[in-house]
Amino acid sequence: MREIFSKKFHPLSVPVIVLYIIMLIHSFIEGLALGVMNNLSGVIALACAVGGHKPVEAFSLGLLVSQDRPTQYIYWTMMTIYVLISPIGIVVAIFISEIGNHLVLGIISAISAGTFIFVGCDEWSKIYQNKEIWPLSEKLWHLGLYIFGILWMLLIAIVEG
């Protein structure tokens, strides 16, 4: 059986590093979005949205990083930073809102909304780009996850409203 971790240091692959950085940015923006909320129902709604996908996201990221067989120290350091980045985003957003800079809060909200729009458009583009390659089951899987995300957000909006 192959060991999960390497005994000696070697660099991680570029795709794993890029994905890790993207996921850090995504998690930081989620934290910013949570920290910007000024009412309890908004915080609960967004916390449910984040909580709905964060465990799967973290598990997937951990699996992808472990495929490069990093040392245990590197792996656990990366995962610890990933876990802490959303709370750091929350603290930063609360600090910004305390000093009353509404322009910065507007920019943060726009970045957050843009991230969600990008992810949705990216899913649609994957389906379109692979329309002749992917079997119907793969297309339906991506479409189903996209619809599930929309329904999850609608449910949150209903509960919040």
Side-chain angles (χ1 to χ4, degrees):
M1 186 163 119
R2 188 177 132 182
E3 292 287 323
I4 295 173
F5 299 110
S6 177
K7 299 289 184 211
K8 62 182 204 171
F9 175 78
H10 60 82
L12 298 174
S13 67
V14 172
V16 167
I17 293 170
V18 170
L19 177 68
Y20 180 75
I21 291 169
I22 289 169
M23 297 310 294
L24 284 179
I25 293 168
H26 173 74
S27 293
F28 185 73
I29 290 172
E30 286 174 344
L32 290 174
L34 271 168
V36 168
M37 292 291 166
N38 55 9
N39 60 13
L40 181 60
S41 62
V43 170
I44 291 171
L46 191 54
C48 288
V50 171
H53 79 278
K54 187 60 84 176
V56 174
E57 181 180 284
F59 180 73
S60 299
L61 181 62
L63 283 178
L64 288 172
V65 170
S66 70
Q67 286 179 352
D68 271 6
R69 296 191 61 232
T71 62
Q72 275 189 317
Y73 177 78
I74 295 292
Y75 178 83
W76 289 113
T77 301
M78 289 175 74
M79 293 302 110
T80 302
I81 292 169
Y82 176 72
V83 166
L84 294 176
I85 202 73
S86 284
I88 290 170
I90 292 170
V91 170
V92 168
I94 290 171
F95 176 74
I96 290 170
S97 64
E98 288 295 319
I99 61 174
N101 195 334
H102 298 291
L103 175 63
V104 173
L105 294 177
I107 291 169
I108 290 169
S109 296
I111 291 170
S112 178
T115 301
F116 288 116
I117 291 169
F118 172 78
V119 169
C121 291
D122 184 56
E123 279 303 307
W124 276 105
S125 71
K126 285 179 187 173
I127 293 171
Y128 181 75
Q129 288 173 346
N130 295 302
K131 66 183 175 193
E132 292 157 6
I133 300 169
W134 283 356
L136 181 61
S137 61
E138 186 73 17
K139 294 175 198 171
L140 291 175
W141 174 251
H142 279 261
L143 180 61
L145 290 176
Y146 180 77
I147 291 170
F148 177 73
I150 291 171
L151 293 175
W152 184 260
M153 295 308 291
L154 284 173
L155 177 65
I156 290 169
I158 291 168
V159 169
E160 183 183 35

